[in-house]
Amino acid sequence: MVKITFPDGTVREYEAGVTGLEIAKSISPRLAKEVLSISVNDETWDISRAITSDASIKLYKWEDEEGKHAFWHSSAHLMAEALEALYPGMKFGIGPSIENGFYYDVDPGDGVVIRDADMPKIEAKMKELARLKNAYQRSEVSKAEALSYFTEKNDEYKLELINELEDGTITFYKQGEFTDLCRGPHLPSTSAIKAVKVLSIAGAYWRGDEKRKQLTRIYAITFPKQKMLEEYLVKLEEAQKRDHRKIGKELELFAFSQNVGQGLPLWLPKGAMLRERLENFLKKVQRKYGYVPVITPHIGNKQLYVTSGHYAKYGEDSFQPINTPAEGEEFLLKPMNCPHHCEIFKTKPVSYRDLPIRMAEFGTVYRYEQSGELHGLTRVRGFTQDDAHIFCRPDQLKDEFKKVIDIIQYIFKALDFKDYIVQVSLRDKENHEKYIGTEENWEKAESAIIEACDERGMNTIVEYGEAAFYGPKLDFMVRDAIGRKWQLGTIQVDYNLPERFELEYMGSDGVKHRPVMIHRAPFGSMERFVAVLIEHTAGKFPLWLTPEQVVVLPISEKYNEYAEKVSNVLNNSDIRSVLDDRNEKIGRKIRDNELKRIPFLLIVGEKEAETNTVSVRKQGDGDKGAMTIEEFSTFINNEVEEQLSSIDK
């Protein structure tokens, strides 16, 4: 017999060899129908895999990320089986599950191109194979057996992956006529896959290397019920309407130019105004919390980033070094702001009485992201972080960390991000080699984050392997208006950079000590944050933030002069107003400006000019009647004040 411990601490005994599915059946038949995967001693398994020793378990359903992962990873294998049937001789790269669905990178062979027009036949084949209810069969194989199988199959991509694995750790999964190299977990069979949609086809370099062959990446999604797919497609349609690239173009916020370079956004006047207001909002909050502004260069000596460790970690993802006329002198576009802030700390002696020192900078950094990974403002090669670094004594660390949590929550409230997950990102349990610093410092940093969250009463999830290379962090994962998850704010504790830069302060004991460093970015990056904000609000920004609050619309050219007067009065009252004096019918002007998401439309004609009034129309709320210019100024300023004051409640 084996003892099985459940999440609530209860223990039951089962015969050795019991499976997760059998355990679920022993609890209830309904649970057995819903369970998709199981964790056994914190390792996710197939629910059909035998448990032969005492274990702690957790059963995962569709509502759990681990359940969806098993479902979609199994579906990736189903799609690969369909592709192999449709395109004999196809070779396969990797096929992971992702946040919404899965993809498979494939090499269809010379002269074979998979197009959008082929998506329906791939879907049909997947459905046909799913109905066969083939079992996903797991088998452990030796490295020699694995190499032999894929050598015979002539699949160089799988052979490359196998060569990097240790013998004794390799498993195959087989369903129907298809066998794949895979760690799992998978569903018991294909029968649970009821609804299929192939979403898109793109190109992707093998292993993200532009020097390697470009493969075909096929994205798809599956569900256990057709209704769930239909609901997802409605959400997807709404997401496409909210696409920040589409709305950003319509609202004239930002643009890209091939002449400037891929992944390097150009902020247009309205976008710059939006971004400036976000920056000013955060600067006001930072002043309240005692931050001081600093500015650092866009480049730095290569040795600076060697010292910090960023060159070793980001070297491959950075732009190539800049060589100067001086022999052997090399500079880099900065990948991070923190090394520069460490050097600012060292510019003068620091006493324990001076701490904490809080430096803030909207600093632009550069990473050479692969061209296939670039996506609007969410993935760019040059981006501005709302970066700050706090240098403090160890006894100040927890309080400073909690204050940063307060700042992030304040910002989320201001921008109506109500649904978010707080993730404690720690080191990989097994592989500590990819991190710098001592075990002692890592343990202190991880404990400080966990204790600060507990004292703030925060519900957190823990993710191992998601820490930065120099320290653990707290990540704020926001769900937008249609349920998509985005990583925005982040706070990181770092004992290591102060060591590497030999930062010191004079303690009360007359001895020099190392400060602790907190990295924090409530927005994350201005580019990504604006992209998420656009999609969250569908371009309808809060009144206090929107670049254009009011547009004045004369009903004919005769009233252009009065309309200009109205617009000027409003601008002089700190109300952001623009004038639409095009020679167009008023109905056309109203439609055009509503598409621009301008909150208030002021219509003026003969009556308004005579009475010094405006006819007010509010976006999404229709006519608000006539007001004098002064009354409207008071009305809109009160609404802005009400929005901002509600944040502080």
Side-chain angles (χ1 to χ4, degrees):
M1 304 294 286
V2 294
K3 292 181 179 179
I4 300 298
T5 304
F6 291 85
D8 64 358
T10 60
V11 179
R12 292 189 187 185
E13 286 196 348
Y14 294 88
E15 287 190 21
V18 68
T19 67
L21 185 58
E22 289 167 340
I23 292 171
K25 284 178 181 175
S26 74
I27 298 170
S28 80
R30 180 173 178 177
L31 178 61
K33 289 180 180 178
E34 294 177 346
V35 68
L36 299 172
S37 64
I38 182 175
S39 74
V40 178
N41 298 328
D42 294 326
E43 184 180 347
T44 310
W45 282 19
D46 312 320
I47 56 169
S48 54
R49 186 171 166 186
I51 301 171
T52 56
S53 59
D54 295 350
S56 296
I57 70 156
K58 184 176 181 181
L59 298 168
Y60 297 119
K61 301 189 291 184
W62 176 262
E63 293 76 20
D64 303 303
E65 293 296 324
E66 295 86 349
K68 287 189 180 76
H69 169 78
F71 194 94
W72 284 332
H73 194 45
S74 302
S75 300
H77 283 229
L78 179 67
M79 184 168 74
E81 183 183 8
L83 290 168
E84 191 168 65
L86 293 169
Y87 305 93
M90 176 175 282
K91 300 173 184 179
F92 295 90
I94 59 171
S97 66
I98 53 178
E99 185 177 357
N100 286 300
F102 55 93
Y103 68 80
Y104 220 121
D105 287 343
V106 300
D107 181 352
D110 294 339
V112 180
V113 179
I114 302 175
R115 297 181 171 86
D116 289 353
D118 298 318
M119 296 195 301
K121 73 176 182 182
I122 298 171
E123 288 175 14
K125 193 65 177 178
M126 289 177 69
K127 292 174 187 175
E128 175 192 326
L129 293 170
R131 286 192 293 268
L132 297 177
K133 301 181 180 180
N134 288 321
Y136 288 95
Q137 300 171 319
R138 179 180 183 274
S139 60
E140 296 179 3
V141 297
S142 69
K143 190 167 186 175
E145 289 172 320
L147 289 170
S148 174
Y149 179 84
F150 282 104
T151 298
E152 185 176 341
K153 202 174 179 186
N154 194 30
D155 194 328
E156 66 265 29
Y157 306 105
K158 295 297 182 183
L159 289 171
E160 182 177 326
L161 295 172
I162 293 165
N163 277 315
E164 296 171 1
L165 299 175
E166 291 184 17
D167 203 352
T169 66
I170 300 171
T171 53
F172 279 3
Y173 277 84
K174 181 179 187 296
Q175 94 274 0
E177 300 301 316
F178 181 74
T179 299
D180 206 352
L181 169 73
C182 188
R183 286 182 301 181
H186 289 286
L187 302 173
S189 78
T190 62
S191 62
I193 303 169
K194 303 293 187 184
V196 176
K197 184 67 178 176
V198 178
L199 298 169
S200 63
I201 297 172
Y205 292 104
W206 171 232
R207 311 199 84 169
D209 186 346
E210 289 181 322
K211 296 176 183 176
R212 308 290 297 273
K213 185 168 182 176
Q214 189 174 62
L215 304 182
T216 300
R217 176 169 292 180
I218 305 175
Y219 289 94
I221 195 164
T222 55
F223 291 92
K225 296 177 182 177
Q226 182 65 28
K227 184 182 177 183
M228 296 170 75
L229 173 59
E230 291 166 1
E231 290 170 350
Y232 174 77
L233 293 177
V234 170
K235 276 190 175 182
L236 193 61
E237 185 179 354
E238 180 63 23
Q240 289 167 349
K241 291 177 187 174
R242 291 169 176 260
D243 191 319
H244 76 278
R245 296 167 299 176
K246 173 179 174 287
I247 294 175
K249 184 176 181 180
E250 291 171 354
L251 301 188
E252 300 175 357
L253 300 177
F254 62 90
F256 290 91
S257 164
Q258 289 296 325
N259 290 332
V260 173
Q262 283 186 301
L264 300 172
L266 301 170
W267 289 90
L268 306 180
K270 294 175 188 177
M273 288 169 62
L274 174 69
R275 175 170 157 165
E276 182 180 50
R277 294 192 73 78
L278 283 169
E279 290 183 5
N280 289 340
F281 174 73
L282 180 54
K283 285 176 182 177
K284 183 178 178 181
V285 176
Q286 288 177 164
R287 284 194 296 272
K288 178 182 173 183
Y289 280 85
Y291 288 80
V292 293
V294 296
I295 299 173
T296 61
H298 288 250
I299 64 172
N301 193 292
K302 176 182 171 182
Q303 188 56 45
L304 178 72
Y305 309 115
V306 171
T307 299
S308 69
H310 288 98
Y311 185 75
K313 297 296 178 181
Y314 288 112
E316 293 182 1
D317 295 324
S318 296
F319 288 85
Q320 291 300 301
I322 303 165
N323 295 299
T324 72
E327 186 176 349
E329 187 176 52
E330 289 184 317
F331 285 79
L332 291 177
L333 289 169
K334 67 175 175 181
M336 295 291 273
N337 298 300
C338 35
H340 297 249
H341 292 190
C342 288
E343 290 298 318
I344 291 176
F345 182 91
K346 292 169 68 176
T347 56
K348 65 177 183 179
V350 176
S351 160
Y352 71 95
R353 295 188 184 90
D354 301 319
L355 300 178
I357 295 172
R358 308 178 186 96
M359 299 179 195
E361 174 182 18
F362 287 88
T364 303
V365 299
Y366 301 89
R367 312 264 178 83
Y368 191 78
E369 302 285 357
Q370 301 295 331
S371 60
E373 299 295 325
L374 299 174
H375 182 82
L377 293 181
T378 60
R379 197 72 178 265
V380 289
R381 287 174 172 168
F383 54 95
T384 301
Q385 293 180 309
D386 57 321
D387 229 346
H389 295 94
I390 302 166
F391 301 89
C392 62
R393 305 189 306 265
D395 63 293
Q396 297 170 322
L397 173 60
K398 201 188 300 180
D399 282 343
E400 288 300 309
F401 198 93
K402 289 190 288 188
K403 288 175 185 176
V404 180
I405 291 175
D406 294 341
I407 290 174
I408 292 177
Q409 291 183 318
Y410 180 82
I411 289 169
F412 284 3
K413 183 179 179 183
L415 296 166
D416 199 35
F417 287 118
K418 297 175 182 175
D419 183 8
Y420 56 89
I421 297 166
V422 185
Q423 174 179 303
V424 181
S425 299
L426 305 179
R427 288 172 297 174
D428 189 310
K429 284 183 175 181
E430 307 297 330
N431 181 13
H432 286 188
E433 293 179 6
K434 57 183 179 179
Y435 308 99
I436 61 174
T438 65
E439 190 75 20
E440 179 188 2
N441 283 344
W442 271 92
E443 288 176 0
K444 286 191 292 186
E446 291 175 342
S447 295
I449 290 178
I450 292 167
E451 289 172 15
C453 290
D454 288 343
E455 290 177 19
R456 275 291 181 264
M458 304 184 76
N459 292 322
T460 61
I461 61 170
V462 176
E463 288 289 344
Y464 292 95
E466 295 297 318
F469 73 90
Y470 49 77
K473 55 182 180 165
L474 194 67
D475 292 322
F476 289 76
M477 321 293 284
V478 172
R479 289 196 184 276
D480 65 16
I482 56 173
R484 294 169 303 178
K485 189 166 68 177
W486 304 89
Q487 181 185 330
L488 294 180
T490 184
I491 321 171
Q492 303 166 4
V493 175
D494 184 1
Y495 281 83
N496 294 310
L497 284 191
E499 291 275 0
R500 295 174 81 97
F501 281 94
E502 299 181 344
L503 305 185
E504 296 176 334
Y505 68 90
M506 185 62 71
S508 59
D509 56 1
V511 176
K512 290 184 177 180
H513 299 271
R514 292 266 187 261
V516 186
M517 193 172 175
I518 299 174
H519 308 244
R520 51 110 279 198
F523 292 148
S525 82
M526 299 307 297
E527 287 72 14
R528 186 179 181 86
F529 192 88
V530 168
V532 175
L533 184 63
I534 289 170
E535 299 195 1
H536 181 62
T537 63
K540 296 177 182 177
F541 305 114
L543 186 59
W544 64 269
L545 178 62
T546 191
E548 296 172 337
Q549 296 172 312
V550 177
V551 58
V552 184
L553 310 174
I555 63 173
S556 74
E557 291 180 355
K558 287 192 295 184
Y559 306 106
N560 284 357
E561 186 176 338
Y562 176 66
E564 186 174 358
K565 172 193 168 185
V566 171
S567 187
N568 288 337
V569 169
L570 294 175
N571 281 315
N572 289 333
S573 302
D574 290 328
I575 296 168
R576 296 183 294 284
S577 172
V578 292
L579 174 65
D580 184 352
D581 58 1
R582 293 175 298 155
N583 185 21
E584 293 282 359
K585 291 182 178 180
I586 191 65
R588 173 68 182 271
K589 289 184 182 181
I590 291 172
R591 285 193 301 274
D592 289 350
N593 285 286
E594 284 185 336
L595 289 173
K596 292 179 180 178
R597 283 89 162 169
I598 299 175
F600 286 97
L601 283 64
L602 304 186
I603 300 163
V604 298
E606 182 179 6
K607 180 182 176 182
E608 289 77 19
E610 288 176 354
T611 57
N612 205 38
T613 59
V614 292
S615 291
V616 181
R617 185 182 181 92
K618 187 176 182 182
Q619 177 83 243
D621 199 22
D623 293 328
K624 308 299 288 185
M627 301 182 193
T628 66
I629 302 172
E630 291 74 19
E631 286 171 341
F632 177 73
S633 297
T634 302
F635 172 78
I636 191 171
N637 282 326
N638 286 344
E639 188 160 329
V640 168
E641 184 63 32
E642 188 178 328
Q643 284 185 2
L644 292 174
S645 63
S646 69
I647 303 166
D648 295 316
K649 291 179 181 176

